[in-house]
Amino acid sequence: LFATTEIERSCFNDALGIAVTLRRRQGDLVAAEELRQLGHAHGRAATRWRTHAQTPRVFWPELEASAWWRPERFGVTEALSAAWRRGDVASDLRGVQRAAEAEAFARI
């Protein structure tokens, strides 16, 4: 069994992704790359990974993979940064903590 979408059952995609991760964690990058190439060679499975560090269950080539993203690519980051600087985030977290404590106290 192999998957071409996230909702499909798969043995091939899952087992191969796990094997690549295991080899990578063991420091055997040559074996990890060989396994990646095996997935890439499959005729129909969505395992055409570009690197052994990128092994999602179903690979979508149009999605960019990046370990870190530049904040300016997302409009919400400036609003969140400004809220952090003003102390709004800390204030909200204190409110959540108070509500959790009140709920815990009410159960006593």
Side-chain angles (χ1 to χ4, degrees):
L1 290 173
F2 61 89
T4 57
T5 66
E6 283 290 341
I7 61 172
E8 293 177 326
R9 290 187 301 192
S10 167
C11 291
F12 182 78
N13 302 46
D14 298 338
L16 186 60
I18 291 166
V20 171
T21 299
L22 176 66
R23 293 299 184 198
R24 194 175 59 236
R25 288 184 177 175
Q26 291 173 333
D28 190 349
L29 301 184
V30 171
E33 178 58 21
E34 289 171 351
L35 289 167
R36 185 204 64 85
Q37 291 174 11
L38 175 70
H40 200 277
H42 193 288
R44 295 175 40 207
T47 52
R48 297 186 192 284
W49 305 316
R50 293 186 179 129
T51 76
H52 59 75
Q54 179 191 26
T55 56
R57 183 171 190 271
V58 173
F59 177 66
W60 296 94
E62 63 275 5
L63 295 179
E64 179 184 348
S66 179
W68 300 101
W69 297 86
R70 290 189 335 270
E72 59 272 9
R73 289 186 64 181
F74 306 95
V76 71
T77 56
E78 181 51 40
L80 288 171
S81 294
W84 178 265
R85 287 189 299 271
R86 287 190 310 268
D88 295 348
V89 174
S91 176
D92 286 349
L93 290 174
R94 283 191 297 274
V96 169
Q97 182 178 9
R98 282 191 300 274
E101 290 169 352
E103 181 181 325
F105 183 73
R107 284 186 263 149
I108 295 177

